Amino acid sequence: MSEHNHVVSKDGSVAMNKVSETLERIEPEQKDAILEHFESFQNYLGKRIQLAQRIGLNEEQLAVAAEKVAGYLAEHEEPRNSEEKLLLELWKVGSQEERHQLAHMLVKLAQNS
């Protein structure tokens, strides 16, 4: 797959508009394995955050990316466990600012897992 298909390019720039496209390319079986259990989701997110930090993304960039992912999941995926259900409910009632803060907290949660 060529570099133009990725959210993060070799030079470290981030194309936030490609988040949905990238998530849609994940195989259904892999997506199910990631989302089935909240711990799997945390581990997956934690690994992606470590990778993003190694290429130089700062906390705000990580939160913006997490916000995009959360928005995609809220719109396209059904919760598979009680933790995901709670996150979806918080996402739905939150303002834009509250959603952004929730994204920051998800990044911190994944970093600590």
Side-chain angles (χ1 to χ4, degrees):
M1 190 176 310
S2 64
E3 183 178 345
H4 72 276
N5 288 326
H6 294 283
V7 174
V8 181
S9 64
K10 291 177 185 175
D11 68 2
S13 61
V14 180
M16 291 300 177
N17 59 329
K18 292 187 178 181
V19 171
S20 294
E21 177 185 317
T22 301
L23 291 170
E24 289 171 358
R25 285 197 315 258
I26 296 175
E27 294 293 325
E29 298 81 21
Q30 183 184 11
K31 191 183 295 184
D32 287 342
I34 295 166
L35 297 175
E36 178 99 21
H37 302 285
F38 191 68
E39 294 80 17
S40 301
F41 174 70
Q42 274 185 286
N43 290 335
Y44 180 83
L45 187 57
K47 288 177 186 175
R48 296 301 177 259
I49 289 169
Q50 287 176 354
L51 176 65
Q53 288 173 319
R54 281 197 296 268
I55 63 169
L57 270 65
N58 63 35
E59 184 179 333
E60 184 61 25
Q61 290 171 309
L62 290 170
V64 169
E67 191 174 350
K68 295 279 188 187
V69 171
Y72 174 88
L73 292 173
E75 191 172 317
H76 295 96
E77 296 292 330
E78 286 297 318
R80 291 172 171 85
N81 52 61
S82 59
E83 294 91 349
E84 289 175 6
K85 177 71 173 158
L86 175 60
L87 287 173
L88 176 61
E89 293 303 317
L90 290 170
W91 192 259
K92 290 191 312 190
V93 299
S95 67
Q96 183 62 36
E97 182 180 331
E98 290 166 329
R99 288 177 176 183
H100 186 69
Q101 289 305 313
L102 183 57
H104 272 281
M105 290 186 297
L106 285 170
V107 167
K108 287 181 180 181
L109 181 66
Q111 288 172 322
N112 292 330
S113 65

